[in-house]
């Protein structure tokens, strides 16, 4: 079974630039999550989708971050404009509806210079 | 106070040693508890769930003390391949409106290195 796919795997940008990340969850997983993991810390939930609806975005910095999951499958996370402190690994995860086990993708490593 | 706190370590132990990790959480309404493992530059993967009665999976034993809001992970007979970061994870209760299905909150992780 294919796992969670993410692209790109690495991205280097300058501050104030924009960047977008893509995630394709495991087939059939209705719930999709985006996490930010700063070096030395555990992942922090940014946003949770159930199908194409937002369930929790309480920790998403909405002035610069946005995310969508228009057709209830793939999702994109955008940062505009990026700041130095956005340097982190952005992890996408998915799970079956109401199931606790989350499966993570390999992540996108973002470096903001 | 952090929602989930772990000793970051690092723990450096020889092969065959027994090592224990501790974790505390602040929200008494938390519903579910897990240990995830994260290898260097890899994604987190579920190691095991933690139940009130305690549970064991091979060399790994997890325990939960709800009264003390404390979770532990014990690794017996450590292997080189156990070297990783171990993340304590707590799932909160759904919000009053029922629209949040209990988000996972991760601790900062405990680094374990097992050496020959």
């Amino acid at each position: 079974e294919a796992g969670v796919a993410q692209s790109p795997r690495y991205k280097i940008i300058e501050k104030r630039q924009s960047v977008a990340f893509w995630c394709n969850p495991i087939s059939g997983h209705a719930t999709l999550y985006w996490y930010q993991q700063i070096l030395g810390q555990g992942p922090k939930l940014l946003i949770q989708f159930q199908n194409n609806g937002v369930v929790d975005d309480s920790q998403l910095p909405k002035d610069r971050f946005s995310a969508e999951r228009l057709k209830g499958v793939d999702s994109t996370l955008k940062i505009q404009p990026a700041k130095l402190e956005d340097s982190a690994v952005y992890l996408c995860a998915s799970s079956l509806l109401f199931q606790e086990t989350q499966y993570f993708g390999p992540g996108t490593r973002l470096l903001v210079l | 106070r952090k929602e989930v706190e772990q000793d970051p370590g690092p723990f450096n132990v020889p092969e065959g040693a027994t090592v224990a990790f501790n974790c505390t959480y602040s929200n008494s309404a938390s519903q579910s508890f897990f240990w995830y493992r994260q290898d260097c530059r890899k994604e987190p993967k579920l190691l095991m769930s933690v139940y009130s009665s305690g549970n064991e999976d091979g060399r790994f034993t997890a325990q939960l003390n709800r009264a003390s809001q404390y979770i532990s992970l014990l690794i017996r007979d450590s292997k080189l391949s156990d070297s990783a970061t171990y993340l304590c994870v707590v799932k909160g209760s759904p919000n009053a409106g029922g629209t949040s299905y209990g988000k996972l909150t991760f601790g900062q992780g405990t680094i374990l290195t097992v050496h020959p």
Side-chain angles (χ1 to χ4, degrees):
Chain A
E1 178 183 282
V4 177
Q6 290 188 246
S7 68
R9 294 295 308 278
Y10 305 91
K11 190 74 177 179
I12 301 175
I13 61 173
E14 295 186 347
K15 60 184 179 182
R16 291 188 288 274
Q17 286 187 321
S18 301
V19 64
F21 312 128
W22 173 82
C23 172
N24 183 257
I26 293 173
S27 178
H29 282 196
T31 310
L32 184 147
Y33 314 79
W34 282 103
Y35 289 86
Q36 179 193 59
Q37 186 173 22
I38 293 172
L39 187 65
Q41 299 181 20
K44 182 184 82 170
L45 180 68
L46 294 176
I47 188 166
Q48 176 181 343
F49 292 94
Q50 183 178 309
N51 295 311
N52 60 348
V54 175
V55 172
D56 186 344
D57 63 356
S58 57
Q59 297 189 109
L60 186 72
K62 298 180 186 62
D63 57 334
R64 298 184 301 105
F65 286 65
S66 64
E68 59 183 15
R69 194 185 184 199
L70 293 176
K71 296 183 179 179
V73 181
D74 293 8
S75 177
T76 56
L77 176 70
K78 296 179 181 178
I79 307 175
Q80 180 180 7
K83 293 185 175 182
L84 297 178
E85 59 261 36
D86 298 332
S87 295
V89 177
Y90 290 84
L91 293 160
C92 180
S94 69
S95 68
L96 290 167
L97 194 62
F98 304 128
Q99 294 298 306
E100 293 183 327
T101 302
Q102 297 184 18
Y103 298 87
F104 284 82
T108 296
R109 293 183 179 277
L110 173 67
L111 179 60
V112 182
L113 301 176
Chain B
R1 182 183 172 187
K2 291 181 181 177
E3 290 186 63
V4 180
E5 289 202 67
Q6 294 181 250
D7 178 350
F11 286 68
N12 292 292
V13 303
E15 277 186 288
T18 295
V19 62
F21 305 137
N22 304 317
C23 170
T24 58
Y25 61 95
S26 61
N27 185 353
S28 60
S30 298
Q31 291 192 324
S32 306
F33 309 88
F34 312 91
W35 284 99
Y36 273 70
R37 170 192 169 129
Q38 187 170 27
D39 292 311
C40 188
R41 303 181 73 83
K42 298 286 188 180
E43 69 273 21
K45 292 184 179 179
L46 178 66
L47 178 65
M48 59 196 304
S49 300
V50 188
Y51 304 115
S52 297
S53 55
N55 50 299
E56 189 173 304
D57 182 2
R59 299 180 292 106
F60 298 82
T61 301
Q63 292 198 311
L64 166 66
N65 184 322
R66 284 188 182 269
S68 302
Q69 295 178 206
Y70 170 92
I71 306 160
S72 66
L73 177 68
L74 183 76
I75 306 176
R76 293 182 301 277
D77 189 22
S78 300
K79 310 292 185 190
L80 296 176
S81 57
D82 293 335
S83 297
T85 296
Y86 290 83
L87 297 159
C88 176
V89 185
V90 173
K91 181 178 179 181
S93 56
N95 62 19
T99 57
S100 173
Y101 295 96
K103 72 177 186 182
L104 296 185
T105 301
F106 287 75
Q108 70 178 98
T110 298
I111 299 171
L112 171 66
T113 301
V114 181
H115 58 81

